[in-house]
Amino acid sequence: MRALILVMDSVGIGAAPDAVNYGDEGANTVGHVADACMAGHADSPQREGRLRVPNLVALGLGEACHLATGRVPPGLDGRVQLARYGCASEISWGKDTPSGHWEIAGVPVAFDWGYFPKIQPCFPRDLVEKLCELAGLPGILGNCHASGTDIISEFGERHMRSGEPICYTSADSVFQIAAHEETFGLERLYEVCTIARRLVDPLNIGRVIARPFVGSNAHDFKRTSHRRDFSVPPPERTILDLAQLSGRDIVTIGKIDDIFAHRGTGRNLRGDGNAALFDATLDGLASLAEGGLLFANFIDFDTLYGHRRDVAGYAAALEAFDVRLPELLNRLRSDDLLIITADHGCDPTWSGTDHTREQVPILAQTAQSMSPIGRRAGFADIGATVARHLDLPAPLHGAHF
């Protein structure tokens, strides 16, 4: 008996009830991607025609979308087989990655994060001065809200000449630092981020993110897989903590260990992109002991396609993920529990480049009997269900399904 949680990062299925408070009323990541495919607006050398995700449909993705919005997106109609489906609305404040993942793990965020204002410069002067002093920096570049790829193109060459890291933020509670892996150095970037983490703690900033890149000029700069998130730890015990305290085997995939500040995250396996992360998931499952928990994040949907508003890329990523699902499903034991979900939305058809406040799918497969999932008020029901399946102490939040 084992449990797996796979988070399709940003694969939302329709605006949350409170989306209007975030300027996201009408956002619908999966629905709008499917609509664009149907209209031929997402055709590319990688894919064309309707969105084709038959394995996710068989797990209930189309019906989960219907629960969330009242309609099944084009291409997502089909029979649900051997699975239970539902949708959930986040109760945590904000629409960022830690909030979504912590709530999935049984710890909703009952406070508001600190954010940097959408002005330029956006960082407090004393914060910048202290960072430069403690890290021995000649200064910083950027100091604004920006897209990560755009700001690297704009300031990357100057950064390589001056040694000033590129610092920027977004609508999330983040302080991001981009630097060239070779001219600045990867370890030095991590050291600067460690210092920044201490400095932004009083501001209640959720994450400091190291954004390393390579290349020689603005035309060929490319971010690498050596990204690292320096997060604050969850305020309460998550299901990872509960599993660790119970002596269970834990495998985390991708940036899960960073999101939970390396607390209770067991053996972490990394991969550069969704395909490599899927390989790591299969490897992790092969070694996962009886009673163990595997928790995976698939990041490409969000970082490569959602934030960049690449509809065709997003569709291709969904189809590529779907193609590989049978490899995982065929490796499950009869008493395993698999839950596929998401942490927020990032509608590639929406204005701006930020996350969107959306409901998420809950697709669960197990041979054991489970009641219908339906619409859930809060992601924490996922953590509660995993805890019950693994016979762990119940988290403080959530009701199992």
Side-chain angles (χ1 to χ4, degrees):
M1 181 180 292
R2 304 169 298 178
L4 298 80
I5 303 173
L6 308 189
V7 179
M8 302 184 295
D9 201 311
S10 87
V11 182
I13 57 171
D18 60 355
V20 65
N21 298 331
Y22 297 83
D24 295 327
E25 189 175 23
N28 186 345
T29 298
V30 171
H32 289 160
V33 168
D35 289 341
C37 292
M38 186 67 177
H41 299 153
D43 290 350
S44 72
Q46 287 74 41
R47 65 155 323 276
E48 62 179 9
R50 279 190 170 199
L51 183 64
R52 293 179 292 273
V53 286
N55 297 301
L56 286 168
V57 168
L59 289 171
L61 180 60
E63 293 302 321
C65 291
H66 185 266
L67 278 176
T69 66
R71 76 176 182 112
V72 177
L76 270 65
D77 50 328
R79 182 165 171 257
V80 180
Q81 301 174 347
L82 301 175
R84 297 290 184 270
Y85 59 85
C87 63
S89 300
E90 188 172 6
I91 64 173
S92 296
W93 292 34
K95 50 182 178 178
D96 56 13
T97 295
S99 298
H101 282 77
W102 292 1
E103 188 168 323
I104 289 169
V107 181
V109 175
F111 57 85
D112 199 5
W113 296 102
Y115 300 93
F116 295 109
K118 204 162 188 178
I119 58 175
Q120 191 169 352
C122 66
F123 301 127
R125 182 176 178 179
D126 59 342
L127 170 62
V128 174
E129 290 177 348
K130 198 66 175 177
L131 178 63
C132 292
E133 174 190 345
L134 295 178
L137 301 172
I140 68 168
L141 301 172
N143 201 345
C144 60
H145 282 243
S147 158
T149 51
D150 290 345
I151 201 167
I152 289 172
S153 295
E154 181 179 356
F155 291 107
E157 294 180 24
R158 180 176 165 186
H159 154 72
M160 293 173 68
R161 294 192 302 268
S162 69
E164 299 168 291
I166 305 166
C167 299
Y168 61 103
T169 188
S170 70
D172 290 342
S173 180
V174 293
F175 187 98
Q176 305 194 70
I177 306 178
H180 197 279
E181 282 198 7
E182 297 163 1
T183 62
F184 192 85
L186 187 60
E187 290 305 318
R188 188 176 180 217
L189 173 59
Y190 292 160
E191 291 171 3
V192 173
C193 288
T194 300
I195 294 169
R197 174 69 269 171
R198 296 197 303 268
L199 294 177
V200 299
D201 278 347
L203 303 176
N204 200 29
I205 300 301
R207 287 180 294 166
V208 173
I209 304 180
R211 292 285 196 177
F213 64 96
V214 294
S216 59
N217 59 66
H219 300 293
D220 67 1
F221 286 142
K222 180 182 179 182
R223 296 197 297 196
T224 75
S225 62
H226 297 136
R227 161 186 170 159
R228 184 173 171 189
D229 293 31
F230 297 76
S231 303
V232 294
E236 299 172 357
R237 287 178 178 174
T238 69
I239 54 169
L240 290 167
D241 297 315
L242 296 172
Q244 182 182 58
L245 290 169
S246 297
R248 304 301 180 85
D249 190 25
I250 302 170
V251 176
T252 52
I253 308 297
K255 65 177 185 177
I256 293 294
D257 62 339
D258 284 347
I259 293 169
F260 289 89
H262 305 267
R263 200 181 77 193
T265 51
R267 305 190 309 280
N268 180 254
L269 306 177
R270 293 270 176 169
D272 186 4
N274 279 1
L277 291 168
F278 211 104
D279 291 338
T281 298
L282 297 178
D283 291 342
L285 178 60
S287 65
L288 188 65
E290 180 71 9
L293 171 62
L294 184 149
F295 201 159
N297 172 278
F298 293 86
I299 193 172
D300 284 359
F301 305 110
D302 186 60
T303 56
L304 296 186
Y305 309 114
H307 286 299
R308 300 182 187 182
R309 298 307 190 239
D310 181 351
V311 180
Y314 208 114
L318 284 169
E319 292 174 340
F321 181 84
D322 186 85
V323 164
R324 299 207 59 185
L325 274 176
E327 298 178 60
L328 176 65
L329 298 175
N330 291 335
R331 287 168 168 79
L332 295 178
R333 301 172 186 166
S334 60
D335 58 355
D336 288 340
L337 170 64
L338 168 67
I339 295 179
I340 301 177
T341 187
D343 54 341
H344 49 68
C346 198
D347 187 340
T349 72
W350 209 242
S351 60
T353 60
D354 298 324
H355 295 152
T356 42
R357 180 78 165 185
E358 294 186 46
Q359 300 172 73
V360 303
I362 305 176
L363 315 178
Q365 180 168 11
T366 179
Q368 297 181 342
S369 176
M370 286 202 313
S371 60
I373 298 173
R375 302 185 69 174
R376 316 298 291 196
F379 301 173
D381 292 359
I382 297 170
T385 301
V386 168
R388 182 175 177 84
H389 178 79
L390 295 178
D391 196 24
L392 296 172
L396 294 177
H397 309 274
H400 67 82
F401 46 77

